């Protein structure tokens, strides 16, 4: 079977499932490239090259996994985020393009010419912490997660992007592991779980059945983690320190109430014009204009 025939057949299999039909050809092609470890340029140049029986067997395994709704990123073991190539496994949430808005917002607020101290809460693959470390060369970052498996992936990614010496990875329930540090952080950043548990059945099967539930769901309203995190952040930030949070669809009003008493509360939209990032500053008790 040629490369072209293999993709055509696999795409037809994937397209037979309504949950997979939209990206069937793309997925079939990506999985062939991954299986053969070749570039798309090679595929385009030699579409009629034959697969060996062993290659075909491996490709069929990958297609079967996709038919079971396993995300492409878990099958290939990687995902791009903010220009970085990150390892991902079922132990971590797959980094989304929406979260790049959170990174971009933080980078606009923090200086690049002096050292700053940040915390990334629920680091998962390390995507946020690593992207910030790459673009804030003088920053020191603490990245925390409840999952030891996730922390292992994050540390691997940090080593491969040459920022492991500036990121401390700690197992922690929110800020519990850094409470003894006092009010020493310039920024606290988090993409916490924010999906209401009642929305579970509305999610695509690849999300609901394969990504870690602990990284997705936060109680009946999706606000459980925010209710705990926002007061903890107030105690850990320096005066005027920044709190930056990714939020879910329809949560702006709830976050506005939870951030009452903070300064400069603002919300940034994603490309679909959905409020996606909440920003706030800790009040400075010595501010004469307060």
């Amino acid at each position: 079977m040629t490369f072209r025939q293999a993709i055509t057949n696999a795409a037809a299999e994937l397209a037979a499932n309504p949950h997979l039909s939209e990206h069937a050809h793309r997925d079939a092609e990506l999985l062939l490239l991954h299986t053969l470890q070749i570039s798309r340029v090679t595929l385009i140049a030699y579409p009629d090259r034959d697969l060996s029986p062993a290659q075909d067997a491996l490709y069929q395994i990958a297609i079967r996994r996709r038919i079971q709704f396993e995300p492409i990123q878990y099958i290939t073991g990687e995902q791009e985020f903010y220009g970085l190539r990150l390892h991902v496994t079922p132990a971590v949430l797959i980094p989304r393009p929406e979260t790049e808005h959170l990174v971009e917002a933080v980078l606009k607020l923090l200086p690049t010419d002096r050292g700053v101290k940040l915390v990334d809460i629920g680091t998962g693959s390390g995507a946020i912490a690593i992207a910030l470390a790459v673009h804030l060369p003088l920053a020191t970052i603490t990245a925390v997660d409840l999952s030891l498996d996730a922390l292992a992936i994050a540390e691997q990614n940090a080593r491969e992007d040459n920022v492991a010496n500036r990121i401390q990875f700690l197992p922690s329930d929110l800020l519990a592991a850094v409470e003894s540090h006092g009010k020493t952080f310039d920024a606290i950043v988090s993409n916490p779980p924010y999906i209401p548990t009642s929305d579970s059945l509305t999610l695509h099967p690849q999300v609901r059945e394969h990504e870690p539930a602990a990284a997705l769901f936060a109680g009946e309203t999706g606000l459980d983690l925010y209710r705990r995190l926002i007061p903890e952040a107030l105690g850990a930030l320096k005066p005027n320190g920044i709190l930056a949070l990714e939020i879910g669809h329809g949560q702006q009003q709830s976050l506005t109430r939870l951030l009452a008493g903070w300064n400069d509360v603002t919300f940034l939209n994603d490309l679909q014009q959905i409020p996606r990032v909440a920003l706030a500053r800790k009040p400075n008790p010595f501010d004469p204009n307060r």
Side-chain angles (χ1 to χ4, degrees):
M1 185 179 298
T2 67
F3 294 174
R4 192 201 314 269
Q5 290 170 330
I7 291 172
T8 299
N9 292 348
E13 283 192 80
L14 296 173
N17 188 304
H19 291 295
L20 300 175
S21 59
E22 182 179 359
H23 302 296
H25 190 275
R26 180 205 66 180
D27 290 354
E29 182 177 291
L30 285 173
L31 290 175
L32 185 69
L33 297 179
H34 170 70
T35 299
L36 302 181
Q37 291 295 292
I38 61 173
S39 69
R40 194 164 188 274
V41 172
T42 300
L43 175 62
I44 293 170
Y46 304 103
D48 295 317
R49 182 176 288 176
D50 287 330
L51 278 74
S52 70
Q55 289 172 331
D56 184 52
L58 289 174
Y59 185 48
Q60 294 309 314
I61 290 171
I63 295 300
R64 296 281 81 72
R65 290 173 67 181
R66 186 64 183 133
I67 287 173
Q68 295 299 314
F69 302 122
E70 187 170 352
I72 288 284
Q73 294 90 337
Y74 291 160
I75 299 172
T76 64
E78 62 181 26
Q79 168 69 353
E80 185 176 342
F81 179 82
Y82 213 75
L84 304 170
R85 184 67 61 179
L86 301 173
H87 295 287
V88 293
T89 75
V92 300
L93 192 73
I94 297 166
R96 267 61 169 186
E98 291 82 2
T99 305
E100 295 184 351
H101 294 286
L102 179 63
V103 172
E104 192 71 30
V106 174
L107 290 176
K108 288 180 179 177
L109 292 173
L110 293 178
T112 59
D113 59 351
R114 65 177 177 85
V116 289
K117 294 178 65 177
L118 294 81
V119 182
D120 173 28
I121 298 175
T123 195
S125 65
I128 294 171
I130 294 167
L132 292 174
V134 168
H135 292 276
L136 295 171
L138 300 180
T140 55
I141 299 172
T142 302
V144 303
D145 203 291
L146 271 175
S147 167
L148 295 178
D149 290 335
L151 289 171
I153 296 296
E155 288 190 72
Q156 178 186 2
N157 285 326
R159 287 193 299 272
E160 295 194 3
D161 284 298
N162 300 311
V163 292
N165 62 321
R166 290 190 290 113
I167 305 177
Q168 181 183 23
F169 292 96
L170 295 174
S172 181
D173 181 11
L174 300 185
L175 288 161
V178 297
E179 284 178 340
S180 62
H181 294 197
K183 301 176 178 63
T184 59
F185 295 103
D186 297 284
I188 293 174
V189 185
S190 183
N191 174 21
Y194 54 69
I195 300 174
T197 52
S198 56
D199 287 355
S200 172
L201 293 179
T202 69
L203 299 179
H204 192 287
Q206 73 175 19
V207 177
R208 184 177 64 247
E209 297 175 12
H210 291 278
E211 296 197 66
L216 294 169
F217 301 107
E220 283 303 310
T221 62
L223 300 172
D224 285 6
L225 268 292
Y226 298 121
R227 291 193 179 105
R228 295 176 53 212
L229 172 56
I230 290 171
E232 288 190 24
L234 195 62
L237 284 168
K238 295 178 182 178
N240 292 323
I242 297 163
L243 176 62
L245 304 169
E246 182 169 327
I247 67 172
H249 180 67
Q251 293 180 331
Q252 179 175 350
Q253 289 187 353
S254 297
L255 265 294
T256 299
R257 290 192 292 270
L258 290 172
L259 291 167
W262 289 70
N263 290 346
D264 303 331
V265 176
T266 55
F267 295 88
L268 305 178
N269 292 348
D270 61 20
L271 295 179
Q272 283 71 48
Q273 300 308 304
I274 297 170
R276 184 62 61 188
V277 176
L279 299 171
R281 284 189 182 272
K282 177 179 176 175
N284 183 354
F286 305 107
D287 185 349
N289 298 317
R290 185 171 178 264

